[in-house]
Amino acid sequence: MTDPEVLRKWLEAGYVENGRLYPTRKGTPQGGIISPCLANLTLDGLERAVHEAVPRRSRVNFVRYADDFIITGKSLCLLQEQVKPAVEAFLRERGLELSPEKTVITHITRGFTFLGQTFRKRGQVLRITPSTEGVLALIRKVGALIRAHVAAPMLALVKKLNQTLRGWGNYHRHVVASETFARIDKYVREQLWRMLRHRHSRKSKRELFRKYWTAAGGRHIFTVRQTTEKGPRVYTVLRLGDLPSGRYIKIPKDANPYRPEYARLYWERRHKKERWMMSCLSARQYRAQRAGG
């Protein structure tokens, strides 16, 4: 468990810039790189406090990621009368409290959202899907990007879109997301078409379709052609449906990358499989570009 006195001195220690010591006058910025580290230090010991507050044979599970955590229990009474008071007492000693807006006790069949994904159990099957709020936030961001690049070079728009879509898609590609990916791909395609009709109002639909879309593998992919010193190049908008999917394989708790037996036998095989999956995606994108050239 973290020593509170050591943590307090660390927060008040100040910082050094260009050889000069500056005092700490404000707290850490929201979303800063030090915030998760401070959360881990502050909440260290919370899991032990939860397990000590319930009977030994009670089925209680604790999962924490920085300052976000979920606690599962076999009954509503156990969570309300034993687990929640223990958490509140632990936080109170550290000057913290639970957020009323983000704290909820619910049944697994109704589901809950954690780290941008919704967990819901139907029968004996647990389904993990991208949260509705996260999907809507991505749609709004994509729409804003396209509207902001109406008069900008098309290549800049493609790069911005790919950056946004790839990051969001790689985060969710290990869960049940095929329907969500198809919905977002359709939205991106419709918004791009709407933007082109506004940008080139005097051109026919056939001209726009021939210039910006190409058929590859029976699918129509938005492309931008650009002439470079090495010849013409084709840039495509990433389709989330093309991302390699598959359920995430949980890492064993003893799999330490600094231990030779795991570094050689476990981590190398795991990284090799991930590189192979991404190489398959790159090959599909290359074939699509060749088909559009």
Side-chain angles (χ1 to χ4, degrees), residues 32-273:
I33 59 176
I34 196 62
S35 297
C37 181
L38 293 175
N40 285 328
L41 293 174
T42 305
L43 299 182
D44 186 27
L46 178 58
E47 181 177 3
R48 184 185 308 171
V50 170
H51 286 291
E52 291 177 351
V54 300
R56 180 173 298 179
R57 295 185 178 180
S58 298
R59 289 181 295 177
V60 174
N61 298 299
F62 181 90
V63 179
R64 181 168 66 87
Y65 186 86
D67 58 345
D68 295 317
F69 59 87
I70 56 175
I71 304 174
T72 63
K74 63 179 181 179
S75 68
L76 177 64
C77 180
L78 177 69
L79 295 174
Q80 283 183 335
E81 298 182 3
Q82 294 179 302
V83 173
K84 188 176 180 180
V87 172
E88 292 174 338
F90 180 90
L91 297 178
R92 194 179 303 114
E93 293 179 359
R94 290 153 178 78
L96 303 173
E97 61 182 10
L98 291 173
S99 171
E101 296 81 11
K102 298 182 180 180
T103 304
V104 61
I105 300 179
T106 183
H107 197 272
I108 188 62
T109 56
R110 291 193 294 269
F112 62 91
T113 299
F114 182 64
L115 299 179
Q117 296 176 343
T118 299
F119 297 72
R120 181 179 291 108
K121 194 171 184 179
R122 296 179 179 177
Q124 297 299 319
V125 180
L126 176 65
R127 288 175 55 88
I128 306 176
T129 59
S131 66
T132 303
E133 296 80 3
V135 173
L136 293 177
L138 176 65
I139 287 177
R140 287 193 292 266
K141 185 174 182 179
V142 168
L145 274 176
I146 295 176
R147 289 190 296 271
H149 287 76
V150 170
M154 295 299 297
L155 181 57
L157 172 61
V158 171
K159 291 182 177 180
K160 283 287 186 179
L161 280 178
N162 286 345
Q163 181 181 5
T164 302
L165 294 173
R166 182 176 288 108
W168 194 89
N170 284 334
Y171 180 76
H172 292 286
R173 67 186 176 90
H174 293 294
V175 301
V176 183
S178 58
E179 294 182 1
T180 303
F181 283 1
R183 174 188 170 191
I184 294 174
D185 288 336
K186 180 181 178 182
Y187 174 81
V188 173
R189 184 170 62 251
E190 291 175 347
Q191 291 300 310
L192 287 173
W193 178 253
R194 183 179 179 181
M195 181 267 294
L196 288 177
R197 294 288 292 164
H198 177 76
R199 181 168 178 162
H200 305 286
S201 58
R202 297 185 178 182
K203 291 186 178 181
S204 65
K205 295 181 179 180
R206 179 173 296 183
E207 288 179 303
L208 294 177
F209 189 83
R210 186 176 300 172
K211 181 177 181 179
Y212 290 103
W213 264 272
T214 180
R219 302 168 304 170
H220 295 294
I221 301 175
F222 185 87
T223 62
V224 175
R225 296 175 177 84
Q226 188 178 49
T227 303
T228 63
E229 297 178 354
K230 298 181 179 180
R233 293 195 60 181
V234 178
Y235 299 88
T236 63
V237 173
L238 175 69
R239 293 180 71 257
L240 293 180
D242 289 339
L243 289 175
S245 61
R247 299 298 170 262
Y248 186 81
I249 301 176
K250 185 178 180 181
I251 299 175
K253 63 179 180 180
D254 296 329
N256 191 327
Y258 296 102
R259 295 173 61 179
E261 60 270 25
Y262 277 108
R264 290 193 302 268
L265 299 178
Y266 179 78
W267 289 104
E268 286 185 4
R269 287 185 295 180
R270 189 180 181 98
H271 294 327
K272 184 178 180 180
K273 183 177 180 181

